[in-house]
Amino acid sequence: MNKLFTFVLSALALASLTACTTPTGGTGLGSSPGEYADLTVADERAAIAVETGYTAAAQALALSYRVGLVSPSVDLDVQRPDFCTYVLAGSYTPSDRGGRLAALDCRAYDAVTRMRRLYDAGQADSFAVAAAEALALVRQLVADVKGN
Amino acid sequence: MADLAKITLTVAGVMGAIEKVGASLPAFIDLFNQVIDAFSEDDQATLKDALEQARKNADAAHSAAQAAAKGN
């Protein structure tokens, strides 16, 4: 799996390099000289790949719960309407696998939405980092759903 | 126009891909390449639409995962 991460990081690095030559006119301004609104076709592809990867992982998780491969957590916190906010605040300590996976899904989705915000702001440098971070969490979610 | 159907995920397709991830690196690279090869460099409108659809799919998948985690 380390090879996979290296491969994806390479793809994201390529996306950043391509940003120098094929600007497409982002939707916002960067906050530093290195963060211009110069997101590219390659960046969009990277974003689509991360979004699609997360979708696959989350769908697999949902199916795993529904078919009984993963038992829903006995933790009452999981039932909270603001469960993911609770998780991201560091307030939740899972006591079983169902809770750990639900919390990991929260963190992975949060990373994906953080990547979106940077994409929408046209911050190419930060976007590439956020995309890599999101993908790492997606990879962890996939591995944990599989029981690795 | 690129074929948007190429990135439409089916449950069977997702499960097939997930089963291969980790067990086979080339399988995931193939999935990645299928996504990025679906578009030409100048197909901006399609890319924007595809990204928007990918976001909606991810949002829906997150909602489904959290609902299932709650036993709903």
Side-chain angles (χ1 to χ4, degrees):
Chain A
M1 292 302 283
N2 286 336
K3 290 181 180 178
L4 169 61
F5 192 49
T6 301
F7 164 76
V8 173
L9 284 179
S10 298
L12 291 172
L14 178 62
S16 296
L17 290 174
T18 309
C20 299
T21 55
T22 56
T24 58
T27 56
L29 296 174
S31 58
S32 72
E35 295 185 325
Y36 295 104
D38 57 358
L39 292 168
T40 68
V41 169
D43 291 311
E44 286 162 348
R45 288 172 170 173
I48 290 169
V50 172
E51 298 272 2
T52 303
Y54 169 76
T55 299
Q59 288 181 339
L61 175 59
L63 280 173
S64 295
Y65 281 119
R66 296 195 189 289
V67 303
L69 293 176
V70 177
S71 299
S73 176
V74 298
D75 297 338
L76 293 179
D77 287 335
V78 176
Q79 299 297 329
R80 297 171 62 110
D82 63 343
F83 174 64
C84 283
T85 301
Y86 194 68
V87 169
L88 296 173
S91 303
Y92 173 60
T93 302
S95 67
D96 52 30
R97 183 165 181 248
R100 283 195 302 275
L101 287 171
L104 180 55
D105 174 66
C106 291
R107 291 198 297 274
Y109 182 69
D110 179 64
V112 170
T113 58
R114 188 164 58 247
M115 177 195 74
R116 286 181 192 175
R117 289 193 295 272
L118 291 166
Y119 175 90
D120 290 342
Q123 297 185 0
D125 293 348
S126 299
F127 162 78
V129 173
E133 291 173 350
L135 202 54
L137 282 168
V138 168
R139 187 179 63 131
Q140 184 181 345
L141 182 57
V142 170
D144 287 4
V145 168
K146 290 181 63 184
N148 294 343
Chain B
M1 291 289 287
D3 183 3
L4 282 177
K6 288 181 179 178
I7 63 162
T8 300
L9 296 172
T10 64
V11 172
V14 168
M15 291 308 293
I18 290 296
E19 287 174 359
K20 293 174 184 174
V21 170
S24 171
L25 178 62
F28 187 83
I29 293 176
D30 285 346
L31 177 64
F32 185 86
N33 287 336
Q34 284 175 27
V35 172
I36 65 173
D37 288 345
F39 310 102
S40 62
E41 288 286 332
D42 57 355
D43 213 353
Q44 276 294 305
T46 300
L47 272 174
K48 296 287 187 188
D49 290 346
L51 179 55
E52 186 61 30
Q53 187 59 51
R55 288 181 174 189
K56 289 178 180 175
N57 289 344
D59 291 343
H62 174 63
S63 296
Q66 288 299 313
K70 291 174 169 56
N72 298 332

